[in-house]
Each structure stands twice: as C-alpha cells, then as structure tokens.
Amino acid sequence: MKIYKYYALALSIAFFSILISCTDTYSVHEDYLKGGEIAYTNKVDSLSTVSGKNRVKIVGYISNAFNVDEIVVYWNKGKNSQRFPYVKSVSKVDKLELIVDNLEEKSYQFEVYSKNSTNDTSVKMVTYGNVYGDNYRSNLSAREINKTSFGIDNSATINFKPVDEFTRNTEVKYFNMSGVELVKIIESTQSDLVISEIDNSRPIHYRTFFVPSIKDKLGNETSLDLFDSDWKTYTMPQLEPILASTTITPVLGGIQVNWSNPTNKNINVTISYVNGTTKNVVVNSTATAGSTIVSGLLYVSQVVNVAVSDAYANSYGPRSFTTAPLAAVKLVKTSWTIAGFSSEEPAEGAPNGLATATIDGNLATFWHSAWAQSQPVFPHYFIIDMGAVKSISSFEIFRRQGQGGGATVHEFWVSNDNITYTKAATYTGALTTNNAYTVSAAANTKGRYVKYLATAGPNTFTYLGEINVYGAE
C-alpha cells in the first residue's frame, strides 16, 4: 500500500510542476508580446567605406529585401542621419552605394539600418570610415620637377621626380610661342612630360592630384575624390642666351668654342662630334667669356653639336655647327729671320756655323755654337722671328748631316714679343740619324718668335742642321 501512495504523490507533484512551468513560459513571452510582436527587416551586410572630400561612400549588400523601402545611416552617436530610398531590383542581392555628404573632416562610426513602410527596422550594422577635407589638402605639395631639357626647336622635356602610391596625375599649364596657354597632363606612372612647342621665357604653372588611401589589391581606387595641391610656379632656367652666343672658330688641329655667360652661371658646355664614334667634350665654367679648344676632329667639314646645362642638369640644345679644323702645314720660311743667338761659329765657313743656316731650307748647311774664339757651355740657343703670330702644332729638327754629337735635350719656346717666353715642347734624345725628328707642341700654341734651346749633350758644344715649324699661316 505504501508503494501506491508514493506513486500517487509523485504524479501529483509532476502535474503541479507542469502547470507552474507553463504559467512561467507564458509570462516570459507576454513581455515581448506587449504592443504586438517585433518584426525585423533584412539587414545590410558586408559593409565597407570609401573615403572622400567631406563625404564618404558606404558600400554594402542586401538580399531578399522585398519589404524594404529605405536605408538609414546614423553617425555622431545617432545625432545625425541620412536616408536613402531603396527599390528592390530583380536580383536576389542588391549592391548599395550610399554617399553621405556634408561631413566634417574626421573619423566616423556609421550605423546602418534598413526599414520598411511600417517603420520596421533591421538589426544595426556598423562600419567605420575617414573623411578628409581642407586640413588634409593643406599638407599637399605639387610633384617636384627634377630637371628640364629644351631643344632649339622650342621642344621641351620636363622630368619629374618619382612619387608615392598616394599621388595621381599632374596638370601643367604653359604658353606656346603664339602666346596661347595650353594644358598637359602627366600621369603618376610617367617621369617625362614632352611638349612640342613651349615659350620657355615664361614660367609654367602646375599642380598635382592626390588620394588619401592607396588602391586595393585589384587596382581599384579606395578613395572617392581627388585632392589637388596648390598651383606651383616653375621658372625655366635661362640657358638659351648662352647657347645663342656660342661661336666656333677653326684652329690648328681643332676648333675653338666661345660663349658668353654674363650672369656667371655654373654651366657645363658639351661639345659632341663624330670620329669613328661619338666623342663628347664637357667643359665646366662660370666665366663671363668662356672658351675652349677641342682637338681630335676629322680634317673634313663635319657637324659639331653644342649643348649647355646647369648645375641642376637642366639643359638647352644641342645647336649644330658645320666646321672643320685647320690642318697643319709646314710654315713658309721666306720671311723668317734670326732675332738672336747665344753664339755661332763663322770659322765653319759661311753659311755653315751661322744660326741662319738652320732656316735656309738646306739640310747640308748647319749652325754650330762658338769654338774658335771661345768655348761656351750649355745651354745654347738661337731665336727665329717668323714675322707674325702663327698657330703652331709641331716642330721638326734635323741633325748636322752625318754628325751625332750634338745636343740630347732640345727645348722649344714661343713668344709674341721676344721678351716673355713659354715652353711649347721638349724632345729628349740624341739625333742619331739624318732623318727628321718631330715633337708636338702644346695645345693652342701660338707665337711669333721661336727659341730653340739645347740644354744638354755629350760635349760642351752643339750644332743643328735645320728646323721646321708646322702650323697655320
């Protein structure tokens, strides 16, 4: 009997528990059912933002949103909002691009909801974005110009420095030779902007566009707007007048290039010519009146190009000249005279022994230093007056025929006034054959007077058969 009593008691407790449980469940749901059951619309998913100039674009996706007719974006903790109408397309999933404008420059948290006509809303979706404005723009600077190259045909190549991933195109304004202002664009991936006609006497103006965020991995822009820098002015380096002043004069064995540089710029003058391969001679100068001698050219008419650049690698040119160097010839002796000598020996029997024997064109005659009345020691010399200043390329001497005991060090000096002399060449060695011995003069040697100076030899005396001078008359 006890077993049945316990069983009846257990059934009574179980029934009471079920009754209480059902009552509690109803009371919980009752709180949610007050005022009617809550309905949620489909949410906007996969949110991202694209930054812009005082605005931002919010990108998201919504699917199966048949009952949604509006998207609402809140920011500043719900104090501000912007509403966007929504119309369901035929696609299951719609892409939303919501542009929120009139924003201050700062970082934002955006809350996005979808709504239907009865004001039912979706759950809150959150995304973050940055908005840029005048503060960001104030830190932008136009792309730097590295150097410029100008041709005499008014063409120009403007070389820009490399840029980072935030830099976009650069806009350049310039004037052509007709005074018309034109605009060209150089992309950020390019270094050189080529302009076919430009008035380089007038400055150019340019600005560069930037984005506050770089492209994504697919190469798409992640910025909504471009930001332009302030306009920058670039004054062209005035190298044209220097090149325009350039002249070329043929000289013995080469050319002489002259130019005017009145403001004493630090410039490089590059002279180019072809002799088998292209040869370049570069002269650095700050001189007001610059000049240089260039040798090594072919002795034929040829094109020589001259360009001018400054210390910043800006260049102008080239300018082409057609010219030829002067070829060296043996100077005519008919007007030559002896202007002086250290000694001579008449006892050799004129014309032998006399200094004039060295310029008579006869290899069989010779000059000899004194020995009969005196025996002077080295150095021994004689001076030739050629009657006018000559350009000199080389000297040629012959020994006294059949005699090898003359000087072993032969110096050649030149002068314009027979007072101040400059050494032009030295030949060291005994004259052991009757053949000619030739020594080249220093570059750009000029003079009216030539002094042959023998400074050493095996004996105290010396002699010489003939001297010739090669150059330009």
Side-chain angles (χ1 to χ4, degrees), residues 225-238:
D225 297 303
L226 292 171
F227 291 78
D228 62 323
S229 69
D230 288 336
W231 287 95
K232 193 170 185 177
T233 300
Y234 180 82
T235 301
M236 305 299 184
Q238 296 304 300

Side-chain angles (χ1 to χ4, degrees), residues 101-360:
D101 49 20
N102 297 319
L103 296 173
E104 295 180 31
E105 184 177 10
K106 64 178 183 178
S107 297
Y108 288 86
Q109 174 181 300
F110 297 99
E111 299 172 357
V112 182
Y113 297 86
S114 66
K115 297 183 66 175
N116 61 19
S117 58
T118 57
N119 284 327
D120 296 325
T121 64
S122 67
V123 296
K124 176 177 68 177
M125 299 300 291
V126 176
T127 189
Y128 301 88
N130 296 314
V131 174
Y132 298 88
D134 290 340
N135 184 55
Y136 169 75
R137 185 185 179 279
S138 67
N139 292 298
L140 302 178
S141 181
R143 187 177 179 182
E144 292 290 331
I145 290 177
N146 190 36
K147 61 181 179 179
T148 54
S149 301
F150 298 95
I152 61 173
D153 59 352
N154 299 314
S155 63
T157 299
I158 303 174
N159 178 262
F160 287 83
K161 291 184 177 180
V163 295
D164 59 25
E165 295 177 282
F166 298 91
T167 309
R168 296 297 178 262
N169 296 346
T170 297
E171 180 181 8
V172 179
K173 291 183 179 180
Y174 66 96
F175 288 91
N176 65 13
M177 297 303 294
S178 300
V180 178
E181 187 177 45
L182 301 172
V183 176
K184 280 223 170 190
I185 302 295
I186 177 172
E187 297 181 4
S188 60
T189 55
Q190 298 175 316
S191 297
D192 292 330
L193 177 64
V194 179
I195 300 174
S196 59
E197 184 186 53
I198 185 172
D199 182 354
N200 64 15
S201 68
R202 305 177 70 167
I204 66 170
H205 304 280
Y206 67 102
R207 61 178 176 174
T208 302
F209 293 88
F210 297 84
V211 290
S213 57
I214 65 175
K215 295 179 180 179
D216 62 22
K217 294 180 179 180
L218 298 177
N220 300 313
E221 291 286 3
T222 61
S223 301
L224 187 57
D225 297 303
L226 292 171
F227 291 78
D228 62 323
S229 69
D230 288 336
W231 287 95
K232 193 170 185 177
T233 300
Y234 180 82
T235 301
M236 305 299 184
Q238 296 304 300
L239 300 175
E240 181 180 8
I242 299 174
L243 187 59
S245 72
T246 302
T247 61
I248 289 183
T249 304
V251 296
L252 186 64
I255 57 173
Q256 180 170 316
V257 183
N258 305 288
W259 61 87
S260 176
N261 181 15
T263 59
N264 302 106
K265 292 180 183 292
N266 185 354
I267 61 170
N268 288 321
V269 179
T270 301
I271 303 105
S272 301
Y273 61 93
V274 176
N275 187 353
T277 59
T278 300
K279 312 289 186 180
N280 293 311
V281 176
V282 181
V283 180
N284 178 258
S285 174
T286 58
T288 303
S291 180
T292 190
I293 300 291
V294 179
S295 58
L297 289 80
L298 298 174
Y299 284 92
V300 295
S301 180
Q302 62 204 274
V303 174
V304 175
N305 293 313
V306 181
V308 178
S309 59
D310 62 17
Y312 306 99
N314 300 301
S315 64
Y316 188 85
R319 181 182 173 192
S320 296
F321 299 82
T322 300
T323 186
L326 295 180
V329 296
K330 185 166 72 171
L331 302 184
V332 178
K333 299 180 180 180
T334 53
S335 61
W336 290 13
T337 59
I338 296 298
F341 49 81
S342 57
S343 70
E344 58 182 7
E345 186 49 72
E348 290 285 351
N352 289 325
L354 304 182
T356 53
T358 61
I359 59 172
D360 64 3

